Amino acid sequence: MANGETIAEHRLDAQGADPLMLTGVNDQNVQELKSLFGIRIVMRGDELILSGSQSAVERAVPVVQHIIELSKLRVPFGVTDIARFADGVTIQGEGGIVSAEDMIRLALPGSRRVISPKSSGQQVYIEAITSNDIVIGIGPAGTGKTYLAVACAVDALYKKRVRRIILARPAVEAGENLGFLPGDLQEKVDPYLRPLYDALEDMMPSDRMRRALGDSTIEIAPLAYMRGRTLSDAFVILDEAQNATTAQMKMFLTRLGLNSQVVITGDKTQIDLPRRDHSGLLEVERILSDIDGISFIYLGSKDVIRHRLVKDIIKAYAEAPQETKGLDT
């Protein structure tokens, strides 16, 4: 090569891998790998042959090996996932990729979907949910905090580990700021709960979801509706917890009943309360972090699973001058 670096070739066994899943439609996965690492990739029979500078090939091998294993297991992935795998290797080495054998997979009956973590941080998050009564997931938009929590809840319901799912979100005061909206109280608050409906619709057949909502097997409600209740035999999720006040957070946490599990999700950079220090999410982080059975999981930009630009946007805001950070949109 021009800089005198040694040319290397590495062959990877792809026998048993789904060829279309591995290479992507119109070879888009192969093209992404070429672009990310600056290498040449050829599929010959059951082998993928990587060639290029030795350092580039060495960086590419764990990523390509990983997508081969995913293709063998028929675990779906896309171009943005490949870029995320590459980022994980760059930041953490091979430990930045969850091995296909160790990856948690939630197979949801009816939807024919298998939901699995897309990053090592998401793997840790799901592991924490499966082994703790209360999990508090903190991280920026797009890291899968809510989506994976809902997936775990649906999985628990299907496996009869709980009898119901309760999903809650803080909403602005229904008697004040929502007063100008048409409709009854439920119609006024439903727009604030829409992301929870969206997650469920992605995981359950529509008829089954309607039945579950109709008989209260699944309940989606504003956080204020939780007051005075004891939530037993339930998987309970509090989403957008950064906008719960300290009093609301204490009220919510003390609803926990027998055979129940709680997941709280929030983003500390998106607090919409008049005073930031009134956020219940910030308070629980200060006072509950040492309690056995409560797990705090922190997700970051490396765990973002939305469009690749979302990661760059989050980074740009994090690096912006301090006076810019206080401007919420």
Side-chain angles (χ1 to χ4, degrees):
M1 300 185 73
N3 61 4
E5 190 168 356
T6 304
I7 295 290
E9 181 179 281
H10 194 98
R11 295 171 179 261
L12 292 171
D13 182 7
Q15 186 173 10
D18 182 311
L20 180 59
M21 181 176 286
L22 177 58
T23 60
V25 178
N26 296 323
D27 287 342
Q28 60 182 357
N29 294 342
V30 172
Q31 297 305 319
E32 178 71 2
L33 289 165
K34 289 179 177 178
S35 173
L36 287 169
F37 297 104
I39 60 175
R40 184 168 178 264
I41 301 178
V42 176
M43 189 161 188
R44 189 169 298 156
D46 288 328
E47 278 190 332
L48 271 184
I49 305 170
L50 283 57
S51 59
S53 72
Q54 185 166 343
S55 60
V57 169
E58 288 174 354
R59 291 198 317 274
V61 164
V63 176
V64 178
Q65 184 65 60
H66 184 57
I67 68 171
I68 289 173
E69 294 304 319
L70 294 179
S71 301
K72 288 180 180 179
L73 295 170
R74 308 304 193 267
V75 176
F77 63 91
V79 169
T80 55
D81 296 319
I82 293 172
R84 189 177 311 108
F85 300 151
D87 286 346
V89 169
T90 300
I91 297 169
Q92 300 175 256
E94 292 190 32
I97 297 181
V98 181
S99 72
E101 291 84 3
D102 295 336
M103 183 182 293
I104 297 172
R105 291 186 286 277
L106 304 176
L108 304 180
S111 68
R112 297 180 181 177
R113 295 208 52 194
V114 176
I115 295 174
S116 55
K118 301 289 189 180
S119 68
S120 56
Q122 289 189 350
Q123 173 87 356
V124 171
Y125 180 51
I126 297 178
E127 288 173 347
I129 292 173
T130 60
S131 56
N132 291 274
D133 290 334
I134 298 177
V135 172
I136 301 172
I138 298 174
T143 50
K145 305 182 300 295
T146 304
Y147 190 83
L148 292 175
V150 172
C152 290
V154 172
D155 182 62
L157 183 66
Y158 277 136
K159 293 178 179 175
K160 302 186 184 303
R161 291 198 295 264
V162 297
R163 288 191 300 107
R164 55 184 174 155
I165 296 172
I166 299 172
L167 309 174
R169 258 190 169 202
V172 292
E173 288 297 326
E176 299 174 11
N177 297 345
L178 289 178
F180 68 92
L181 292 174
D184 60 21
L185 182 59
Q186 191 63 46
E187 290 171 327
K188 291 175 188 291
V189 299
D190 266 356
Y192 293 90
L193 306 173
R194 187 70 245 174
L196 299 174
Y197 285 103
D198 290 343
L200 281 174
E201 287 172 354
D202 202 35
M203 299 174 195
M204 299 179 72
S206 57
D207 58 338
R208 183 161 189 172
M209 178 179 163
R210 283 195 300 270
R211 288 197 304 271
L213 289 168
D215 63 16
S216 295
T217 299
I218 298 177
E219 180 181 350
I220 303 177
L223 175 58
Y225 283 24
M226 300 298 107
R227 190 173 300 278
R229 303 177 60 182
T230 299
L231 306 177
S232 300
D233 205 16
F235 196 115
V236 191
I237 298 172
L238 173 59
D239 191 35
E240 295 289 329
Q242 74 275 3
N243 290 326
T245 65
T246 55
Q248 286 176 324
M249 183 66 77
K250 180 181 178 182
M251 176 273 292
F252 175 78
L253 286 168
T254 54
R255 299 308 93 199
L256 185 64
L258 296 174
N259 191 40
S260 286
Q261 185 172 3
V262 166
V263 177
I264 296 170
T265 70
D267 178 355
K268 293 189 293 183
T269 70
Q270 294 291 326
I271 296 173
D272 297 322
L273 297 172
R275 287 187 55 180
R276 178 181 171 84
D277 59 353
H278 285 178
S279 171
L281 183 65
L282 299 184
E283 183 179 56
V284 296
E285 190 180 23
R286 287 193 300 267
I287 67 177
L288 300 184
S289 58
D290 294 329
I291 295 181
D292 189 36
I294 300 179
S295 177
F296 284 81
I297 302 297
Y298 294 89
L299 300 169
S301 59
K302 63 181 172 49
D303 302 301
V304 170
I305 58 171
R306 293 183 185 166
H307 192 285
R308 65 176 65 187
L309 286 176
V310 173
K311 183 182 297 186
D312 295 333
I313 291 167
I314 291 170
K315 182 179 178 182
Y317 270 97
E319 295 174 351
Q322 191 64 39
E323 61 270 17
T324 306
K325 295 180 182 179
L327 301 176
D328 291 331
T329 57

